[in-house]
Amino acid sequence: MADCWNSNERRITIAKKKTTFVCQECGYNSPKYLGRCPNCSSWSSFVEEIEVAEVKNARVSLTGEKTRPVKLNQVTSSQATRVKTNMEEFNRVLGGGVVPGSLVLIGGDPGIGKSTLLLQVSTQLANKGTVFYISGEESAEQIKLRSERLGDIDNEFYLYAETNMQSIRAEIEKIQPDFLIIDSIQTVMSPEISSVQGSVSQVREVTAELMQLAKTNNIATFIVGHVTKEGTLAGPRMLEHMVDTVLYFEGERQHTFRILRAVKNRFGSTNEIGIFEMRSGGLVEVLNPSQVFLEERLDGATGSAIVVTMEGTRPILAEVQALVTPTVFGNAKRTTTGLDFNRVSLIMAVLEKRCGLLLQNQDAYLKSAGGVRLDEPAIDLAVAVAIASSYKEKPTNPQECYIGEIGLTGEIRRVNRIEQRLNEASKLGFTKIFVPKNSLSGLTIPQGIQVVGVTTVGEVLKKVFDEVNKN
C-alpha cells in the first residue's frame, strides 16, 4: 500500500498492483524473476503477470437461477441421459455417449485430425440439439470449406470465430446451446487477465469459466488442447484435473489410422479406445480393427506372433514383430515401438536364463504392427514367441495365437477374460491358441478352435517349433 496527501492534508491510501512471475511450462509462481524454474528446470520461462483479486461468485445459470443445497434423493437424473452420436467408436470411448454438462478435453499432435473429429461429431449432434462451435484458429469460411466434404450440416449449428471470452460468453447467453466446442483453449483469452494469450493463467481462467458454464447450464463442452513436444497436454497440470474427461487422439500423419484413447473419464472406463481411418471424406470408423491389423501379415515370415489383447471391453488381435540379429558393437541394442521397453527386456532375460537362448550378443528390434500400443501382461507370451522365432529363424504357424503373462521363473500366469479372447480368435479363423493352464477351468471353448494349456515358456517354445519342424 502507498500513501499520498491531497490538498486538504487528508491521507489517501492507494492499493499497489501486485505482480508475480509465472513459469509458462509448469505454472510455478515466484515473487521475483528467475532465470531457471526450480520446479521443472526450464530456462527463461518466467513471465510477469498482475495478480487479480479473486472474486467468489456463486454458480448462476444463464436464466439467472442460483444453485442451492438439495437432498441427493431429490436430484432427478432425467437430464443425465447420454446423447449418442452416429460414431459408435466415439460413444465407446466416452463410456456410452455424450453426458450433458460434461467438460471433455481432446489433445493430440498438430494436424492429426482433432478439429475434423469434433466438426464431424458436431454435425451429428446438431440433429439432437443446438451446437455452438467456437473457432479461435480458423475463420468461418475455412471451417465451411472443411465441412462441405463431411456432409450436410443441420440448421441448429452455430459458428463463431472469436477469441475473447467475454464476447463468447455473451453469445452463449443468447443462443443457450446444448453442445459447445472450443477450438482451441490456447487461443481463447480473458481480458480480465493481463498475461498473454495461451499462458498458464489464461488457460486456467478460461477453463474455469467454461466449467462453470457447463455445470450450471447442462452444456456438454468439448475443448481442443495443444500438446507439447513431449506429447503431453500444454498448459498447467491443473487443466486435466478440472475437466471430466481427457482424450488423446493418436496416430502418425503418414498413416491413415487414428486411435482415440481415454486417459481420464469420470463417466466411463479409461481403458477403451476408438479406431478411425482418415479418408478424403473425413474420419471413418474401423469396426473390425483385428482384421485391419492382420491383413498385411506375411505367411511364413519369422519373428511374428499373434496375441489377443484387451482394450477396455474389446478384444483385439494384434501382431507382435521381432527382429533379432547379431550385434556389431560391444553392447547389444534394444529398440521397441508400441511395446514397453522394460517389459521386453525382462522377457529377453527370462528367455536367456530359462530357455537357453543366447541373446546378450544380439540386437533386438520389436514393434506392434498397425500402430496400436500393447501394454497389458497378456502379451508377454506372444513377445517371447516372436523373439524366439526370429532368433531360431523358424516361422510360427499363421493359424496360432498366444496369450499369457510370463513370470521371472519362466512360468505362464493366468490372465483375465479368456473366453472373450477365444471368441475373437475363433471369429477370425484361428484354429489353435496357447493359454495359461490355470485359466482352463470352467472355460467354454468355441467350436473349431484348439486350446492348449501351458505352464512354462520353455514348454510353449518346444511345442511351437517342434510342430514347425514336423511340418
Side-chain angles (χ1 to χ4, degrees), residues 13 45 70 72 89 95 102 142 177 230 237 306 383 402 422 439 458:
T13 302
S45 60
V70 293
L72 182 61
E89 296 293 295
S102 60
Q142 292 172 328
E230 290 83 13
R237 193 69 177 177
I306 304 298
V383 172
Y402 315 90
L422 293 179
S439 299

Side-chain angles (χ1 to χ4, degrees), residues 151-368:
D152 297 331
I153 296 180
D154 193 87
N155 293 331
E156 294 303 315
F157 187 100
Y158 291 87
L159 182 61
Y160 190 36
E162 181 56 67
T163 59
N164 190 309
M165 189 59 205
Q166 285 186 350
S167 302
I168 292 172
R169 185 184 180 96
E171 295 301 327
I172 292 174
E173 292 176 355
K174 293 178 184 177
I175 298 174
Q176 298 188 8
D178 300 300
F179 308 98
L180 178 65
I181 291 89
I182 306 293
D183 187 8
S184 65
I185 189 65
Q186 280 82 8
T187 61
V188 180
M189 61 175 294
S190 175
E192 299 176 356
I193 304 298
S194 61
S195 59
V196 297
Q197 192 175 28
S199 64
V200 171
S201 299
Q202 286 285 0
V203 171
R204 183 173 58 234
E205 181 69 20
V206 171
T207 304
E209 189 164 355
L210 290 172
M211 181 178 66
Q212 181 182 3
L213 285 169
K215 301 302 179 185
T216 55
N217 302 283
N218 241 23
I219 302 174
T221 304
F222 295 89
I223 300 173
V224 175
H226 295 163
V227 295
T228 62
K229 60 184 179 181
E230 290 83 13
T232 58
L233 284 163
R237 193 69 177 177
M238 185 191 304
L239 182 63
E240 297 186 35
H241 296 297
M242 293 170 68
V243 300
D244 298 313
T245 304
V246 179
L247 307 179
Y248 276 91
F249 204 41
E250 305 170 351
E252 299 180 6
R253 281 179 287 181
Q254 293 78 13
H255 294 81
T256 59
F257 293 110
R258 305 285 188 268
I259 296 177
L260 183 66
R261 188 186 305 274
V263 297
K264 174 188 176 182
N265 192 355
R266 290 174 178 164
F267 312 113
S269 172
T270 57
N271 297 320
E272 300 287 358
I273 65 169
I275 302 176
F276 302 86
E277 182 180 3
M278 180 67 80
R279 297 182 183 176
S280 59
L283 292 164
V284 179
E285 298 175 88
V286 178
L287 300 178
N288 191 355
S290 299
Q291 187 174 1
V292 172
F293 293 148
L294 301 180
E295 63 184 2
E296 297 180 354
R297 188 189 183 206
L298 296 176
D299 291 338
T302 61
S304 173
I306 304 298
V307 61
V308 188
T309 182
M310 296 297 299
E311 289 290 348
T313 58
R314 165 195 281 180
I316 295 178
L317 271 79
E319 180 184 6
V320 177
Q321 295 180 340
L323 178 61
V324 178
T325 180
T327 184
V328 294
F329 302 103
N331 296 323
K333 186 177 182 180
R334 307 281 188 259
T335 303
T336 62
T337 303
L339 300 169
D340 183 68
F341 179 83
N342 294 326
R343 182 178 294 275
V344 170
S345 300
L346 182 148
I347 294 171
M348 294 186 69
V350 171
L351 289 174
E352 186 161 1
K353 182 74 173 180
R354 308 298 178 189
C355 302
L357 302 185
L358 186 60
L359 299 173
Q360 59 186 353
N361 60 352
Q362 303 284 324
D363 290 338
Y365 306 88
L366 287 95
K367 69 170 295 185
S368 59

Side-chain angles (χ1 to χ4, degrees), residues 366-439:
L366 287 95
K367 69 170 295 185
S368 59
V372 64
R373 179 165 183 81
L374 307 177
D375 56 3
E376 69 156 339
I379 69 170
D380 289 358
L381 187 56
V383 172
V385 171
I387 293 172
S389 172
S390 180
Y391 177 78
K392 295 175 177 288
E393 282 294 326
K394 295 180 181 179
T396 57
N397 190 331
Q399 301 301 317
E400 292 179 353
C401 54
Y402 315 90
I403 303 171
E405 178 186 359
I406 297 178
L408 293 180
T409 59
E411 81 277 14
I412 307 298
R413 308 179 72 88
R414 70 176 71 198
V415 295
N416 61 355
R417 299 185 178 180
I418 286 292
E419 288 192 14
Q420 287 181 261
R421 301 174 195 261
L422 293 179
N423 290 330
E424 182 70 12
S426 176
K427 200 184 304 180
L428 290 178
F430 285 84
T431 57
K432 192 174 185 179
I433 183 167
F434 290 84
V435 301
K437 192 171 184 179
N438 292 332
S439 299

